[in-house]
């Protein structure tokens, strides 16, 4: 009777053992697939990271390790800077000709505030990170064939003068403008690593 009971017990547990074996094999195959996907994704991420490619938030453009946000609506200069800060950046600081060219192309023929002003002292242009404008480095003030070049602190529209800089609507050169005016703006921040 005992051999019959053992035989019957084995016969009843055999389907359960087969089901467990099937789950094990299926699970192992899925684990192998996940490990292969992980390996491939890790290799891709390593290649991406080593190539310097970085990803910016939605609506931000990537260029040379920085992320740039070109607004679709206008604000005055201070509101623009405050808005950039809420987005985790600041109004753009232009460091070289290549960056200036990139900004000018992306601005698409519209005025955009940049992070440069002489609000503290007339004629002493300071970036939003408190570094002074290096006049020996790249500066992109508009040069007029006739009349005064920018910055000109024109007081016709605003008796307080023009103390905030923007990219022009023509060639992207810099203009000083009344900080009260409403323009689109460009924010920047470092691209995440």
């Amino acid at each position: 009777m005992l051999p019959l009971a053992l035989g019957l017990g084995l016969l009843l547990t055999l389907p359960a053992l087969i089901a467990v074996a099937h789950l094990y094999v299926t699970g192992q195959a899925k684990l192998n697939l996940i490990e292969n996907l992980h390996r491939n994704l890790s290799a891709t991420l390593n290649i991406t990271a080593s190539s310097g490619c970085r990803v910016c938030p939605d609506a931000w453009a990537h260029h040379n390790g920085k992320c740039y946000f070109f607004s679709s609506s206008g604000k005055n200069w201070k509101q623009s800077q405050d808005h950039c800060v809420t987005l985790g950046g600041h109004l753009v600081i232009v460091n070289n000709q290549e960056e200036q060219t990139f900004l000018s192309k992306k601005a698409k023929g519209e005025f955009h505030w940049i992070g440069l002003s002489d609000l503290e002292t007339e004629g002493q242009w300071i970036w939003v990170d408190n570094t002074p404008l290096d006049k020996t480095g790249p500066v992109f003030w508009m040069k007029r064939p006739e009349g005064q070049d920018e910055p000109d602190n024109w007081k016709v529209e605003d008796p307080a003068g023009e103390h905030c800089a923007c990219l022009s609507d023509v060639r992207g050169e810099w203009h000083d403008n009344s900080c009260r005016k409403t323009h689109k703006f460009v924010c920047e921040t470092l691209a995440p690593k």
Side-chain angles (χ1 to χ4, degrees):
M1 183 93 156
L2 184 60
L4 182 62
L6 285 175
L8 188 57
L10 285 174
L11 189 60
L12 293 175
T13 58
L14 188 59
L17 288 173
I18 291 171
V20 169
H22 175 70
L23 289 174
Y24 175 78
V25 170
T26 304
Q28 196 63 36
K30 287 181 181 179
L31 180 61
N32 289 340
L33 178 63
I34 290 170
E35 286 174 343
N36 285 336
L37 288 172
H38 180 264
R39 222 178 348 269
N40 291 341
L41 183 57
S42 293
T44 302
L45 287 173
N46 287 338
I47 290 168
T48 301
S50 66
S51 69
C53 184
R54 299 163 191 255
V55 179
C56 296
D58 288 344
W60 290 66
H62 179 264
H63 180 73
N64 282 349
K66 292 182 184 176
C67 296
Y68 299 88
F69 175 79
F70 291 80
S71 73
S72 58
S73 60
K75 297 181 182 294
N76 68 36
W77 189 87
K78 174 146 181 24
Q79 291 168 337
S80 298
Q81 170 61 0
D82 291 346
H83 189 87
C84 289
V85 169
T86 66
L87 296 176
H90 52 75
L91 281 171
V92 68
I93 297 170
V94 183
N95 294 298
N96 54 50
Q97 177 65 58
E98 185 196 8
E99 186 175 26
Q100 172 70 15
T101 301
F102 167 77
L103 295 168
S104 298
K105 286 180 182 175
K106 292 287 285 181
K108 297 180 182 167
E110 297 185 68
F111 281 102
H112 282 75
W113 289 123
I114 62 174
L116 184 63
S117 72
D118 71 346
L119 286 164
E120 297 294 320
T121 304
E122 175 61 33
Q124 292 181 6
W125 290 89
I126 306 292
W127 292 106
V128 290
D129 68 353
N130 292 320
T131 55
L133 177 64
D134 181 4
K135 293 178 183 164
T136 63
V139 291
F140 304 101
W141 294 112
M142 187 185 89
K143 306 279 185 221
R144 292 188 174 93
E146 297 175 19
Q148 186 175 355
D149 294 338
E150 295 287 337
D152 60 3
N153 198 28
W154 195 53
K155 295 184 178 183
V156 173
E157 290 180 358
D158 184 350
E162 299 178 318
H163 301 289
C164 297
C166 61
L167 295 171
S168 77
D169 59 344
V170 181
R171 292 182 301 274
E173 298 164 310
W174 300 349
H175 285 246
D176 61 337
N177 218 312
S178 167
C179 303
R180 299 176 188 166
K181 279 195 168 181
T182 300
H183 293 306
K184 292 182 178 180
F185 52 94
V186 184
C187 305
E188 80 173 340
T189 188
L190 289 175
K193 292 184 179 183

